[in-house]
Amino acid sequence: MIAHTQDVQTSLPHLVDPFSLVPYADDLWDVAKSRKCFQDDESKVQVDWTDSDTEHHVTRTTFTSLTELQAHRKKASTAPNGLRFISINQGNSWRPLNVTKEMFEEIGTLTSSSHVLHNLSLSFHDKFMATEAAFSSAPAFIWNERSIGANTHTLEIAYIFKYAFRKSNNDRPDSWTVRQTGVYQKFDTATKHSTWIFLNPTKNCLFQQRLVDILMCPLQCSQLTSHPLLIHNLLFATFFPNWREYLGAQEDRALTIYNTTVTQHIQEPLRVNHNMWASIRSIESRCLPLQAVFRSFEKTVQTLHKANNALRDCGSLQHLSWHKMDQLLDNYESHADAYLQAASFLQSWATTTAQLIADNLSFNNSYTAQQQSDYMLSLTSSTVDDSSTVRVITVVTLIYLPSTFMATLLGMNSFFEMDSETHKLIVSPQFWIFIVCAVPLTAVTVLYWWVRSKRHQKHANGKGESLA
C-alpha cells in the first residue's frame, strides 16, 4: 500500500495573535458596528493630533477625513524624547466617536498600537439610556521586550476612567452626571517617546484644555516629561476630586428627606409621600454602581504601579522619580478606598431611609384603616340600637294596630251607626264605597313595592356580573 501525502495550505485573512485578549479582530469590529461606536458620515469626523519634540516645539493638526490622515503617514515618525497626543471626541457622552472605523484603524496603524486601543472604543457608542453604569473597561498592561538581550521595551497602558461631572448653569438635583475618558499610552524605552490617545466625552473637555495649556508652556511641558506616567496624574487631578462633591450633593438630598421622615408622627398629617420615596431610591441607584467604579479605579492604579516598577527595573527612571510616583499612586488608592466607603455608607443610608418612608406610608394607611374601622364599628352599634328601637316600635304597633284599625273603622259614622232603641250596630248600605276605595289602593301599593323590589334586584345582579 502506497500512502500519498498532500500538503494542505490554509490561508487566514488576518494573523491571529494567541497572546492577545482579542485574537480575532473581526469580532471586535462586529460589536463596534452593532453598538454604533463610529460615525458613518465622514463630514462629522475630527481628530486632533499634537506633537511635541525634544525642545518642546508644539505642532497641532486637525484631520477631518481619512485622506488627510493617510497623507500624514510620512510625517508620523516619532521624535526621541517627544510627546504625541491624539484626541478623539464625541458629540456628547451618549453619541458615537467623531471618527469613522477606517480612520480609527488608520490611527492604530500609524501609532503601531495593539488590540487594547481598539477595545477601548466599545465603551463609546450611541445610546439612549445610561447603560453600563457600573462597567469600566478592565485596565490593560503590556510590557514587551523589543529585542532579545537588549534592555529596550515597549510599554502599553489602556483603561477607562470614570468621573463625576457637574453640568454648568444647572442647580437641579440631577445636575451631576457620570462621564468617562478612554486613555491609551505607548512608551518606547529606547527613544523615550510617549504616544497618547484620548477618547473624550466632549470636545471642550476640561482635561484636554489643561493639557493644551501645559504643552504651550515649555517649562511646564518639561516637568510633564520628567516621568512617562505623569499625564495620568493630570487626568486624575482634574476629575477625581469631583467624587467628593458628587457624594456630598447626594448626601444633602438624602439628609433633607431623612430629617422629614424621622420627625414624622403617625397622628399628624403625613409629610412624606411617594415622590420622596422615589427620590431616595434614585439616590440609592446612583450610589449602587459607584462601588464597581471605585474598585475599577483601584485596579487602574495597581496597573500604573506595575508600569512604574517596570520602568524603574529597566533603568528608565531614577529612584527619586519612581518613589514620588509610587507615593502618589498609593495616595490615590487611599482616596479611592475612602470614596468607596462613603458610597457604601450613603447607599445603606438611602436604603434605610427608603424603608422608613415605606413603613411610614404603611403605618399611616394602617392608622387610617383603623380609624375607619372604629367609625364603622360606631356606626354599626348605632344601627343596632336603631334596629332594636324599630323592633320594639314594630312589636308595639303589631299589638295595637288591630284594635286601632277596628276603632277607626267602627268610628266612621258614615258607615256604622248604633240604633238608639235596639242598641244594635247598623251597617250603612254605602259601605261598599269603603271597600271599593280601600282594596284597589292596597293592591296598587303592594304592586308598586313588588315592581320596585324586582328592579333593585335586577340592578344589583347586573352590577355584580360587570364586576366579575
Side-chain angles (χ1 to χ4, degrees), residues 189-376:
T189 60
T191 62
K192 298 188 181 303
H193 182 277
S194 282
T195 298
W196 297 81
I197 300 177
F198 297 107
L199 307 181
N200 295 312
T202 58
K203 181 177 180 180
N204 298 322
C205 179
L206 180 59
F207 163 69
Q208 188 171 343
Q209 295 176 4
R210 289 182 173 180
L211 185 59
V212 171
D213 292 340
I214 290 178
L215 292 177
M216 293 304 174
C217 179
L219 179 60
Q220 292 185 349
C221 188
S222 63
Q223 293 178 349
L224 197 63
T225 56
S226 63
H227 194 296
L229 303 180
L230 272 180
I231 296 180
H232 297 285
N233 181 43
L234 179 61
L235 174 63
F236 297 161
T238 300
F239 295 120
F240 192 67
N242 290 355
W243 283 119
R244 184 170 185 177
E245 301 298 324
Y246 178 87
L247 292 172
Q250 303 305 321
E251 188 173 359
D252 288 341
R253 293 177 58 196
L255 185 61
T256 302
I257 299 174
Y258 178 79
N259 289 338
T260 304
T261 305
V262 296
T263 57
Q264 177 71 50
H265 295 282
I266 197 65
Q267 293 83 3
E268 297 178 353
L270 200 62
R271 288 181 293 176
V272 296
N273 50 45
H274 290 84
N275 290 333
M276 297 176 65
W277 181 84
S279 297
I280 200 68
R281 284 299 187 188
S282 173
I283 297 172
E284 181 185 7
S285 64
R286 282 176 173 262
C287 294
L288 186 60
L290 295 186
Q291 298 188 34
V293 171
F294 292 138
R295 293 191 185 278
S296 176
F297 178 77
E298 290 179 349
K299 290 290 185 181
T300 300
V301 174
Q302 294 173 7
T303 300
L304 296 179
H305 267 300
K306 293 180 181 178
N308 190 43
N309 293 335
L311 291 173
R312 178 202 58 184
D313 295 340
C314 74
S316 297
L317 287 180
Q318 299 295 327
H319 178 77
L320 181 59
S321 297
W322 168 85
H323 181 66
K324 287 183 177 181
M325 179 58 66
D326 189 67
Q327 283 187 334
L328 178 63
L329 296 175
D330 285 340
N331 289 332
Y332 273 119
E333 279 192 286
S334 299
H335 280 75
D337 185 66
Y339 293 153
L340 176 60
Q341 294 182 27
S344 300
F345 166 75
L346 186 55
Q347 180 187 342
S348 301
W349 188 20
T351 303
T352 303
T353 305
Q355 185 61 46
L356 185 58
I357 293 176
D359 291 342
N360 276 341
L361 293 174
S362 178
F363 290 155
N364 182 261
N365 292 337
S366 299
Y367 181 71
T368 303
Q370 182 64 38
Q371 287 183 320
Q372 292 177 348
S373 298
D374 293 341
Y375 174 74
M376 292 300 297

